[in-house]
Amino acid sequence: MTDQRQKVAQSFLHFGEHQCAVSSPLYATLSRGVRNDPDLLAIAAQARKPFPNLFFAAVHWLLIREPSDPLAAHYPSIRPDARPAGDPCPLLRSFVLDRADAIRQIVTTRLVQTNETRRCGYLLPAFSHVGTLADGRPLALIEIGCSAGLNLCFDHYAYDYGDGQRRGDAGSQLLLDIEVRDGQPADLPIRPTVVAQRVGLDLNPIRADDADQVDWLRALIWPEHHDRRALFERALSIARHVPLDLRRGDAADLIEEALDAAPADACPCVFQTHALNQFPQDAVERLTQAFERQRRRRDFFFLSRHNRLELEHHRPGGVNRWALAECDGHGRWLAWRPEAIAGPQ
């Protein structure tokens, strides 16, 4: 096995055993099949990172269009009443190899652009916290990897953190239920946040009125996650009525222009949720260099979620850093634990 295929096999191992074991039994099973199949690995290896997400989304995308295929019976998103017995891995193998060219075309031209609106459950208190640090100035939001910009609409959603109270836009058609761990909902810094602008940067921003692009976002949602699909549809209907400035291009190339154009009386807040893990190393380095240049001219915040939710305050004198919270990758729970992780630099 080549080094690249070994790397891809390891990604399917981690995906199946750590990300899907509980929340997607189907993908956990299929991941085992892919990582032990050289032919499937050869196709998956042509995908952009993250390999499993993009590969399985390509399969899902095609399978939705062929609901009579035997593999579709194993997908609750397509056949919710089906309860097939047997191993779906041979069916996956046949489906993929019969459509190898189509899958190669998808995984080399599409991106993983999951809009997980439940992540707004940790963005809401984080933006409130940033607003306090910014002395109440309006926030000029700039999202890296915005997809359809659904998370830029965070203040148009309602939230329940387990105490029965609605926060955010209490009358919204979209209600997010978030579990709070190691504390009480009252401990979360949730105050009204004034948003001066909503800018999104993406290699391929998704238009909410583009049926083909929206179908791709649906295919990225894991088959068993009916609740995520329902939230996605409601968020999409809201986003169609919120002014969003979604810009196409490499975020590392666009970020300085976006920061320069932020209103002078607003505080820029750049944020990303699981986008930087798809960036090549040179793009991460260029983004870091852009931040270094920008903080010499004005202060701004950078909110980032990877393994945990972290916040950086960039300013002419240096950078302050905090760890804000531990949180589930799909935003189902959070533990708010703000603490400084580095002093001015």
Side-chain angles (χ1 to χ4, degrees), residues 4 25 55 74 129 135 142 166 211 213 233 246 251 261-263 267 338:
Q4 175 66 1
F55 176 81
H74 290 266
H129 187 69
D135 298 322
I142 304 170
R166 284 201 172 197
Q213 292 182 330
E233 298 298 340
L246 306 185
C267 179

Side-chain angles (χ1 to χ4, degrees), residues 57-251:
V59 172
H60 200 186
W61 162 268
L62 294 175
L63 197 58
I64 289 171
R65 287 154 177 74
E66 299 183 53
S68 62
D69 188 273
L71 179 61
H74 290 266
Y75 278 67
S77 54
I78 302 172
R79 304 270 295 278
D81 297 327
R83 297 292 184 271
D87 184 0
C89 293
L91 298 175
L92 175 72
R93 174 179 169 80
S94 297
F95 186 86
V96 171
L97 295 184
D98 287 347
R99 298 156 185 81
D101 290 342
I103 290 179
R104 288 191 190 96
Q105 194 274 336
I106 293 170
V107 300
T108 55
T109 59
R110 300 267 183 176
L111 300 168
V112 172
Q113 296 177 281
T114 305
N115 263 153
E116 182 45 65
T117 51
R118 196 175 263 114
R119 290 173 183 158
C120 291
Y122 59 72
L123 291 177
L124 181 71
F127 288 143
S128 294
H129 187 69
V130 172
T132 298
L133 294 174
D135 298 322
R137 284 180 291 164
L139 298 186
L141 298 180
I142 304 170
E143 183 178 12
I144 294 174
C146 63
S147 188
L150 304 188
N151 290 341
L152 284 163
C153 305
F154 78 100
D155 53 336
H156 290 265
Y157 309 148
Y159 301 80
D160 184 344
Y161 288 92
D163 58 358
Q165 296 188 40
R166 284 201 172 197
R167 295 172 171 83
D169 182 353
S172 175
Q173 64 176 298
L174 191 155
L175 174 63
L176 298 172
D177 297 301
I178 314 297
E179 176 189 354
V180 176
R181 298 183 178 179
D182 298 339
Q184 300 297 322
D187 298 330
L188 297 175
I190 300 176
R191 291 171 289 277
T193 303
V194 178
V195 179
Q197 69 172 25
R198 307 169 200 265
V199 173
L201 312 178
D202 202 293
L203 290 173
N204 182 36
I206 303 294
R207 288 172 37 211
D209 59 353
D210 187 311
D212 178 78
Q213 292 182 330
V214 169
D215 280 348
W216 172 245
L217 295 185
R218 292 189 180 103
L220 284 161
I221 300 174
W222 298 357
E224 299 93 336
H225 292 190
H226 303 299
D227 59 331
R228 290 177 61 197
R229 270 186 291 280
L231 292 175
F232 169 75
E233 298 298 340
R234 292 177 195 140
L236 196 67
S237 66
I238 291 171
R240 293 189 178 106
H241 304 286
V242 178
L244 301 174
D245 180 3
L246 306 185
R247 306 177 186 179
R248 181 183 302 274
D250 188 326

Side-chain angles (χ1 to χ4, degrees), residues 316-336:
V319 185
N320 288 91
R321 295 182 172 87
W322 299 269
L324 294 184
E326 303 289 338
C327 40
D328 171 61
H330 287 139
R332 297 180 184 275
W333 60 265
L334 82 156
W336 187 259

Side-chain angles (χ1 to χ4, degrees), residues 32-47:
R32 290 194 294 271
V34 174
R35 76 171 190 257
N36 294 317
D37 190 312
D39 294 328
L40 297 187
L41 284 176
I43 295 173
Q46 298 178 50

Side-chain angles (χ1 to χ4, degrees), residues 268-328:
C269 182
V270 182
F271 72 101
Q272 71 88 26
T273 62
H274 293 274
L276 291 186
N277 65 319
Q278 300 182 52
F279 276 40
Q281 186 56 39
D282 73 293
V284 175
E285 292 172 357
R286 287 187 291 112
L287 184 66
T288 300
Q289 293 165 1
F291 281 174
E292 291 173 351
R293 289 190 293 269
Q294 279 293 311
R295 67 171 174 255
R296 298 178 192 139
R297 299 200 286 271
R298 70 180 300 178
D299 74 311
F300 64 93
F301 289 87
F302 177 47
L303 181 66
S304 179
R305 200 285 176 186
H306 185 49
N307 294 322
R308 61 182 178 180
L309 186 64
E310 297 186 0
L311 178 66
E312 299 177 351
H313 184 193
H314 292 253
R315 52 193 179 76
V319 185
N320 288 91
R321 295 182 172 87
W322 299 269
L324 294 184
E326 303 289 338
C327 40
D328 171 61

